[in-house]
Amino acid sequence: MTTPSKTELQYTGKAKNVYGTTDPDLVWIEFTDGATAFNGVKRAQVRDKGEVNARLSAIIFERLDASGVPTHLASTPSPTVHICHRVQIIPVEVVVRNIAAGSLSKRLGIAEGTALDRPLVEFFYKSDALDDPLVNDDHALLFGWAQAWELAYLRHAALEVNDFLRAFWDEFDLTLVDFKLEFGRALAPDRRGQILLADEITPDGSRLWEKGTQRRFDKDVFRRDLGDLGDTYRELFRRVFGQRLHAG
Ligand code: UDP
């Protein structure tokens, strides 16, 4: 594929900026060093975070594509950029949990760290204004956020991604506690309607606990002031890629 050029800024997110490209079916997504928590209340710049997240998400999306879960990633022209198929984001965030933590523990009083008998899939309505409330299939159907077959696909694909990611992180001595996915409907005429895994899979939207020590390798380090997020992400990069981020 010839790399299209970046055009106008279309959307500024908390940790990514989205630009158009000279190909109307592709977008140019730049990962930034911005870190936010608690729906934007806590903010910081964390050196290298954009590059670590872009490179981790790219390797994971490439492997998922190869194993039959289609994603929006088309190419990676530089370490912090993903060129992606343009999608309409489905406003239902999908969280998969293997161990209780975060909002599940708070909502239902289940001690953080409790292993779940099987993976739990939760849906959240994607709305910053409402703080992403928990919803069920019926809300999504009634309010027209997704169709029944789409929800069935989201659930099925999320569980497949969970199987893949558990094995992926296990290799680096990390337990996958939970993670969040976003999906979109492809807009290009030749792919119209196809559901693609979109957004990113990074430690910003996952919980990763080191086996044995329970050291956190995810954004909880920032949310809960557990240490230096940049050092944590660079260490994660080193484990996955087998070299330091800026090694020659
Ligand atoms: N998550 C996310 N974006 C959100 C909310 C949650 O990426 O807006 C991720 C979060 O990093 C964790 C998982 O989804 O890996 C489950 O998060 P939870 O519902 O426990 O919410 P939190 O405690 O992070 O607010």
Side-chain angles (χ1 to χ4, degrees), residues 11-18 29-32 34 199-200:
Y11 169 80
T12 305
K14 293 173 192 138
K16 295 194 283 304
N17 292 327
V18 182
I29 301 179
E30 258 175 35
F31 286 67
T32 69
D199 191 45
E200 63 179 52

Side-chain angles (χ1 to χ4, degrees), residues 91-131:
V92 176
E93 297 189 353
V94 185
V95 167
V96 182
R97 303 178 184 274
N98 299 298
I99 294 176
S103 73
L104 174 73
S105 294
K106 215 180 266 175
R107 193 180 336 115
L108 299 181
I110 296 167
E112 196 154 272
T114 307
L116 305 178
D117 288 344
R118 59 173 175 79
L120 175 68
V121 178
E122 293 179 331
F123 292 148
F124 293 84
Y125 177 45
K126 184 173 162 64
S127 164
D128 280 344
L130 299 174
D131 232 345

Side-chain angles (χ1 to χ4, degrees), residues 93 95 97 101-104 107 122 124 132 178-180 203-207 220 223-224:
E93 297 189 353
V95 167
R97 303 178 184 274
S103 73
L104 174 73
R107 193 180 336 115
E122 293 179 331
F124 293 84
D132 297 348
D178 57 34
F179 61 98
K180 185 262 294 181
D204 276 13
S206 312
R207 286 196 170 92
D220 274 349
R223 293 190 190 96
R224 303 180 185 186

Side-chain angles (χ1 to χ4, degrees), residues 6 15-19 27-34 46-58 73 75-84 200 237 245-246:
K6 171 167 118 173
K16 295 194 283 304
N17 292 327
V18 182
Y19 298 81
V27 291
W28 177 290
I29 301 179
E30 258 175 35
F31 286 67
T32 69
D33 288 341
V46 177
R47 186 173 55 84
D48 294 332
K49 180 164 117 35
E51 181 168 347
V52 171
N53 279 346
R55 292 180 65 177
L56 278 173
S57 199
L73 183 63
S75 65
T76 52
S78 80
T80 55
V81 174
H82 289 187
I83 291 184
C84 297
E200 63 179 52
F237 180 95
L245 180 60
H246 298 298

